[in-house]
Amino acid sequence: MSKLNPWGSEVITDYDKLFKEFGLERIPEEFVKKLKFRLFERGLVIAHRDFDKVLARIEKKQPFINMTGIATSGKMHFGHKIDVDLFVFFKRCGAKNYFGIADIDAYVSRPDDKIPDLATAKKYAIENLAHALALGLDPKDVYAQSRQTSRYFEFSHELSKKITENTYRAIYGQIDLGKISAVLLQIADIIHPQLKGFAGVMPSVTGIGLEQDPHARITRDVARKLPYGLNLPSFIYFKHQGGLQKGTKMSSSEPLSAIFLSDKPEDAEYKIKRKTFSGGRNTPEEQKQLGGQPDICKVYEMYLMHYPDTKKDEDIFKRCTSGKLMCKDCKQHCAKFVKDFLVDHQKKFAKTENIARGIILG
Ligand code: SF4
């Protein structure tokens, strides 16, 4: 049985093997057609557990819970944007919304050389939340773990009795007190909206990367055992944006692997033009003859994940594969798109920082 490490940085390559092993279902075409959202249309949301019942609620215009969050363990980059984009999309579908800022989780589950104290996790929490607000998150939908209600903390301890040591070891393969405490908080984050005093019992959806599936499995196991008649939480799984270099993950600890939302626009331009792996051929003549390779191109990945207009994204793909687009021009265009995005985003960020500080520190 494969072991997924939700705190690791491994790049997942064999999706089908993991889907089969862990009982995940691929997103069917029918979902894509019904939802009409670019992250589904472009194959970036790849699998689900039990999402059918959430979709049925969306179609009947009935409420459902939209729950996700971020662990505040570093600077925010473009790869994190997908969490916020999905959350904002489900909100538009009529959800009851819970976006958790996991500051305690970030501190207890990360090594001291990364997050030495809670104050550091809260510093990142303010910065991360300000970015998420600038990306379109509504402050009314946000809570910080460290400022949650007493019922939330009571619940995060209550649920611990429903997990045996064998189950925990089978899912995570290791016992580490900080990580156990982070897991209990994560389960509480996903389930607590169904408790009395919050939204109440109803289907819920949480979007996660595939490496987070251990949390999904343990959460559903606990939900089955709790005495509240809970609806089993549903999950959808998205692809992570890769690093700018070949075979890497976009990571906060590798400055050149990522475009950070706080990068100076000209630094982002430099990274796209000089440090990003392209799927171009050896010479322009070869490229005209054979076409480029967008499937392995990190410049194209930026368009695929973030370009708002699907038709224009498809046009870049077609012009690349037919040899009509040269990498130099394509990089130039991508760098301008990213620069313009950052200029606009950073103007919004200047206004959201104080709101974020108020939510995290009170
Ligand atoms: Fe990538 Fe653009 Fe070159 Fe195609 S033309 S390989 S999408 S950089």
Side-chain angles (χ1 to χ4, degrees), residues 35 38 44 56 64 81 96-97 110 134 148 151 154 186 188 226 240 246 267-268 295 300 307 339 345 348 352:
L35 290 166
R38 69 180 165 84
L44 297 169
F64 61 97
K81 193 172 155 287
K96 295 189 178 288
N97 305 292
R110 270 42 176 205
Q148 255 286 7
R151 176 63 183 123
E154 181 183 61
Q186 292 230 6
L226 285 163
H240 284 296
K246 199 177 176 185
D267 290 348
D295 293 337
Y300 181 69
Y307 217 45
K339 263 174 80 178
H345 174 79
K348 293 178 188 156
T352 54

Side-chain angles (χ1 to χ4, degrees), residues 244-265:
L244 300 179
Q245 293 79 41
K246 199 177 176 185
T248 59
K249 196 168 171 179
M250 200 168 262
S251 159
S252 307
S253 44
E254 296 289 337
L256 286 179
S257 75
I259 307 282
F260 293 95
L261 294 172
S262 54
D263 270 350
K264 284 187 190 143

Side-chain angles (χ1 to χ4, degrees), residues 206-221:
T206 301
I208 55 176
L210 192 55
E211 81 291 349
Q212 302 291 317
D213 187 54
H215 298 323
R217 279 180 271 140
I218 203 162
T219 300
R220 285 166 62 89
D221 190 52

Side-chain angles (χ1 to χ4, degrees), residues 277-281 287 291-301 303 316-317 319-321 324-331:
F277 176 80
S278 87
R281 304 289 179 175
Q287 180 120 343
Q293 304 168 89
D295 293 337
I296 57 164
C297 177
K298 301 299 190 149
V299 180
Y300 181 69
E301 192 176 4
Y303 290 125
I316 289 167
F317 186 91
R319 288 197 298 128
C320 168
T321 50
K324 291 193 178 105
L325 183 61
M326 295 295 113
C327 294
K328 190 165 174 267
D329 299 334
C330 188
K331 282 188 166 189

